[in-house]
Amino acid sequence: MVGIKDVARQAGVSVGTVSNVLNRPERVSSEIRARVHAAIDLLGYVRSESARQLRAGRSRMLGLLVMDTVNPFFAVLAQGTERVAVEAGLGVMVCNSAESASAEQAYLSLFVEQRLRGVLFAPVASDGEPWEALRRANIPFVIVDRAVSAQTACSVAADDVLGGMLAGRHLLAAGHRRIAYVRGPSHLQQVRDRREGLVRAAEESGLGADAIIDIPADKLDVAAGRDAGARLIGLFPRPAAVFCANDLLALGVMQTAFDAGVHIPDDLAIVGYDDIEFAEASLIPLTSVRHPAGEIGRLAAQLMLQELEPPDPEHDHQHTGIVLQPELVVRRSSMPRS
């Protein structure tokens, strides 16, 4: 392995000068910098980030822990985070908790061991404080896709209760009086908030919570949606409208409906949540509540950069919680033929 001493020998400078070129280039003349970089290119030297991190006592990596890396929503969120981080000279390590609290804790412990510069994560459990290990290690963190108390941490999320209300009002305005809710894992705060919004919409229209028929799903993916769709279609009387906790569930319900000969939207109106790219591209374009994933990722990364800077009188993580507004995007899946 080519080391920093080899580079110094080739460039005819000291090891300290090479270190300055790599870490504090403003201290070195342009002529010396050019000689050192020429030696690096000639020898194929690759600096050891782990060694640099040990010397500096901090990393140039951020950790991003999401609940499902397969879900396009989190892929877009990660892109928003990465753009901001890269511009600031930081890298992003994306990890997947797979909606598992134990996997979440394992990754958070790993982030502490690796001395990451900061961590952004979407918590799995809605109770407790899974970020306590980060706090003890003095690693800055930002909560994404879930609002938390302003006294707890910085956070960026969308108003999921409002999102559920938008979906419910839309279906109720179309004349539906019984709405199925395919909800996903009940321990997820987002799932519960979207249901709460749906119930509020029903109550606004003079209906009670019993107008909402819960259909559980153990995951927030297409396979779970297909399974929930089979149970929905088997109900008698069957609701003519369904709101799904995310678009992947909705696409799974739609697949099952196709297979069973149920016509969408005439026999079954479907509304999803997130407005992922596949929603519009579906055979029957899916009505969905637009969840601003990229904006959540971007704003969360900006908050993280503020956390990493020296104290800023205009930024106090005890008082910074950003809640974005969702938007209903109406498409064919919930619009009966006139």
Side-chain angles (χ1 to χ4, degrees), residues 5 15 17 37 44 58 74 123 132 142 148 159 181 185 201 207 209 217 260 269-270 323:
K5 292 181 180 179
V15 170
T17 297
H37 283 299
R58 60 182 183 175
F74 286 113
E132 190 55 35
V142 175
V148 299
D159 188 341
Y181 178 54
L207 301 175
I270 302 179
V323 179

Side-chain angles (χ1 to χ4, degrees), residues 161 164-165 189 191-201:
V161 174
M165 291 178 70
Q189 186 67 48
V191 167
R192 297 206 302 270
D193 285 349
R194 292 166 195 177
R195 184 187 188 281
E196 180 182 340
L198 180 61
V199 170
R200 287 189 190 181

Side-chain angles (χ1 to χ4, degrees), residues 239-263:
V242 56
F243 170 44
C244 299
N246 78 350
D247 287 343
L248 297 181
L249 288 172
L251 293 172
V253 170
M254 189 179 290
Q255 289 178 8
T256 298
F258 282 147
D259 292 343
V262 175
H263 296 285

Side-chain angles (χ1 to χ4, degrees), residues 69-148:
T69 51
V70 176
N71 188 333
F73 168 80
F74 286 113
V76 174
L77 188 153
Q79 289 172 358
T81 299
E82 185 180 32
R83 289 191 189 102
V84 174
V86 169
E87 288 177 1
L90 299 171
V92 179
M93 178 191 304
V94 181
C95 299
N96 178 21
S97 70
E99 300 173 18
S100 164
S102 60
E104 176 180 86
Q105 283 304 308
Y107 273 119
L108 294 179
S109 296
L110 178 63
F111 292 162
V112 171
E113 292 172 6
Q114 294 298 315
R115 304 182 187 181
L116 293 194
R117 190 76 168 274
V119 173
L120 307 95
F121 77 109
V124 173
S126 57
D127 56 352
E129 295 190 346
W131 46 79
E132 190 55 35
L134 299 175
R135 197 189 302 281
R136 287 197 303 268
N138 292 318
I139 295 178
F141 61 94
V142 175
I143 306 302
V144 298
D145 196 36
R146 196 180 103 196
V148 299

